[in-house]
Amino acid sequence: MGVKGEETRARLIAGTRSLIEAHGYFGTGLNQIVAESGAPRGSLYFHFPEGKDQLVAAALTQAGQEVSDLLAATVRGGADTATALTALARTFADRLTQSGFTKGCPVATVALEVAGGNEGLRQVCAEVYAGWQRVLAQCLTAEGFEAAEADVAAGQALALLEGAVLLAQVRRSVEPLLDASHAVRHLITARPERVPTPAPAPQPTR
């Protein structure tokens, strides 16, 4: 594929991302994608012969990878995992305010729509979320969490943030995300220390 072909494919994915984040899977049609991207209609089927679902899957995968990269880069820059999650919450909050509360998490809108009826895209969304959880769990493991504990904490943190995005959209306020970022920090930094298992009491001698 030449440079022009790569640019056309990138425009199609970018246009799809913008539309599905704002209008969802069912609110986005191929004609809208072509108009948004400015790409010839024939190029859509050339690059994505399986049609809309293949294009949406590519858009979701790209968006998911960007979030994974953001989390990993924040930690590489010297921040701890709690700070990286706070930065992610702020990113979602900024996206919401800049879009008039139509765009927050780049995956959540589609995930809510397709989870019950489109197995292919449900799996793509699940893989994106699993990727975020793996990145967070790896960061927590490096901070001293055991592997299983890190995975659970990472999943809890994501659940808090994703739920907060939904609340922020319906309330048209970033307060739920700010609250969630505080809760996530507490979840990670206030981890209780393990209490050693007490030794069995000595048996009385006879």
Side-chain angles (χ1 to χ4, degrees):
M1 188 187 302
V3 173
K4 186 175 181 180
E6 289 286 358
E7 291 176 349
T8 299
R9 186 177 187 278
R11 291 208 311 273
L12 286 165
I13 292 174
T16 302
R17 281 184 59 176
S18 179
L19 289 168
I20 62 175
E21 288 179 40
H23 306 295
Y25 175 82
F26 294 111
T28 299
L30 292 179
N31 288 336
Q32 293 169 289
I33 292 172
V34 170
E36 178 77 12
S37 66
R41 188 177 184 88
S43 66
L44 188 153
Y45 292 104
F46 174 79
H47 293 288
F48 301 96
E50 297 174 26
K52 178 180 174 180
D53 280 9
Q54 185 181 15
L55 184 48
V56 171
L60 291 169
T61 300
Q62 184 187 82
Q65 187 59 52
E66 287 180 6
V67 172
S68 291
D69 292 344
L70 170 66
L71 289 169
T74 304
V75 173
R76 283 198 304 271
D80 59 18
T81 309
T83 300
L85 282 163
T86 300
L88 179 59
R90 173 51 62 187
T91 297
F92 287 165
D94 289 345
R95 286 168 55 81
L96 283 166
T97 54
Q98 291 166 10
S99 65
F101 289 89
T102 61
K103 299 179 182 179
C105 170
V107 179
T109 302
V110 174
L112 288 170
E113 286 184 303
V114 304
N118 187 319
E119 179 57 24
L121 289 179
R122 182 205 66 76
Q123 187 171 353
V124 171
C125 292
E127 289 171 354
V128 168
Y129 285 130
W132 296 355
Q133 188 165 338
R134 279 195 301 272
V135 171
L136 291 172
Q138 289 166 0
C139 295
L140 289 171
T141 300
E143 292 174 12
F145 281 67
E146 292 184 358
E149 182 185 30
D151 187 58
V152 170
Q156 291 171 337
L158 284 179
L160 281 168
L161 291 183
E162 289 295 288
V165 169
L166 177 59
L167 288 176
Q169 284 185 288
V170 298
R171 294 179 182 174
R172 292 189 171 272
S173 168
V174 298
E175 286 300 319
L177 271 165
L178 299 179
D179 292 342
S181 67
H182 293 312
V184 165
R185 179 172 290 278
H186 178 77
L187 170 72
I188 292 175
T189 59
R191 180 171 56 123
E193 296 296 330
R194 290 186 180 81
V195 178
T197 302
Q203 297 297 317
T205 58
R206 297 186 179 181

